[in-house]
């Protein structure tokens, strides 16, 4: 795999960060920056769908499928190409080697356990480590930066907790409700 951050999710996030006046160490994706400049959207929804690569979409869906008809361009993921690395890169705009969120389960010498970072839970031990990963490898999320700058940003996670959406339909319903909220 060749890492391509010029046409990757980090350059897409850099374009969103630039649109909102936030800095980035990556060059903004010109294609997305152009769309944002032309459309000047008040509200933006970014949906990350795990394992939904452009090659798989083209292989599995007919050419006239909604996703294929509306795909403006394809972009590349980060390296390593893991759920944790890609999701965290999108959340904070930094490469995995900068934020250290590399894989679904990571060993931490301090507690001698392999932990699932998103859950603060030992993969094999099942032990709970509330807030541990955020202290061990802190990440400042773009959501926090936007909220601190006076904008309203929200994150929806799929089914990690009882309050999270547990289906695509529920996720879309929540997004629609958020879009109608005057404070977002």
């Amino acid at each position: 795999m060749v890492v391509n951050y010029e046409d990757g999710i980090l350059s897409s996030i850099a374009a969103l960060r630039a649109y909102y006046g936030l800095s980035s160490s990556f060059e903004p994706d010109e294609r997305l920056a152009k769309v944002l400049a032309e459309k000047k959207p008040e509200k933006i929804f970014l949906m990350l769908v795990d394992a939904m690569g452009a090659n798989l979409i083209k292989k599995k869906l007919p050419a006239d499928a909604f996703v294929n008809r509306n795909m403006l361009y394809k972009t590349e993921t980060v390296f390593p190409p893991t759920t944790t690395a890609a999701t965290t890169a999108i959340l904070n705009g930094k490469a995995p080697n900068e934020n250290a969120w590399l894989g679904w389960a990571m060993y931490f010498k301090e507690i001698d356990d392999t932990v699932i970072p998103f859950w603060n839970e030992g993969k094999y031990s099942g032990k709970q480590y509330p807030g541990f990963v955020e202290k061990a490898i802190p990440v400042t999320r773009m959501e926090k930066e936007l909220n601190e700058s006076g904008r309203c940003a929200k994150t929806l996670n799929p089914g990690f907790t009882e309050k999270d959406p547990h289906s695509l339909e529920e996720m879309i319903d929540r997004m629609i409700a958020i879009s109608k909220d005057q404070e977002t």
Side-chain angles (χ1 to χ4, degrees):
M1 175 181 181
V2 177
V3 179
N4 178 1
Y5 288 156
E6 288 76 37
D7 293 323
I9 59 176
L10 285 167
S11 63
S12 296
I13 294 303
L16 287 172
R17 292 180 65 83
Y19 182 73
Y20 286 116
L22 300 174
S23 64
S24 175
S25 57
F26 295 92
E27 289 296 316
D29 183 293
E30 292 177 11
R31 301 163 298 188
L32 180 54
K34 180 180 176 188
V35 170
L36 294 170
E38 289 173 0
K39 303 285 184 183
K40 296 182 180 24
E42 286 183 37
K43 297 178 184 185
I44 297 173
F45 287 85
L46 172 65
M47 183 182 278
L48 172 63
V49 180
D50 196 18
M52 192 171 178
N55 293 337
L56 185 61
I57 291 168
K58 292 200 184 289
K59 181 178 177 182
K60 296 290 184 179
L61 294 177
D64 64 345
F66 176 84
V67 174
N68 280 325
R69 288 191 330 260
N70 291 283
M71 188 183 304
L72 297 178
Y73 56 88
K74 86 176 194 178
T75 189
E76 304 292 330
T77 192
V78 295
F79 187 86
T82 67
T83 297
T84 301
T87 301
T88 308
I90 285 174
L91 291 173
N92 78 345
K94 296 186 184 296
N97 67 326
E98 295 176 290
N99 65 44
W101 287 59
L102 302 174
W104 187 252
M106 297 171 40
Y107 176 77
F108 289 88
K109 180 172 68 172
E110 305 92 309
I111 56 174
D112 189 29
D113 204 353
T114 300
V115 176
I116 299 169
F118 287 132
W119 298 347
N120 282 296
E121 177 182 301
K123 178 174 176 146
Y124 306 106
S125 69
K127 290 181 183 176
Q128 298 297 312
Y129 301 100
F132 170 76
V133 177
E134 292 81 1
K135 289 177 187 162
I137 45 176
V139 167
T140 301
R141 294 177 177 214
M142 186 167 66
E143 173 186 15
K144 180 180 181 191
E145 292 178 88
L146 289 169
N147 286 324
E148 287 176 349
S149 72
R151 293 176 177 82
C152 184
K154 297 181 181 183
T155 298
L156 293 175
N157 294 309
F160 289 148
T161 67
E162 281 192 32
K163 66 179 177 108
D164 293 331
H166 289 273
S167 68
L168 179 59
E169 182 179 22
E170 191 178 344
M171 178 74 78
I172 291 170
D173 288 345
R174 296 254 189 111
M175 291 169 68
I176 290 168
I178 289 169
S179 74
K180 293 178 180 177
D181 184 350
Q182 295 301 311
E183 295 184 21
T184 57

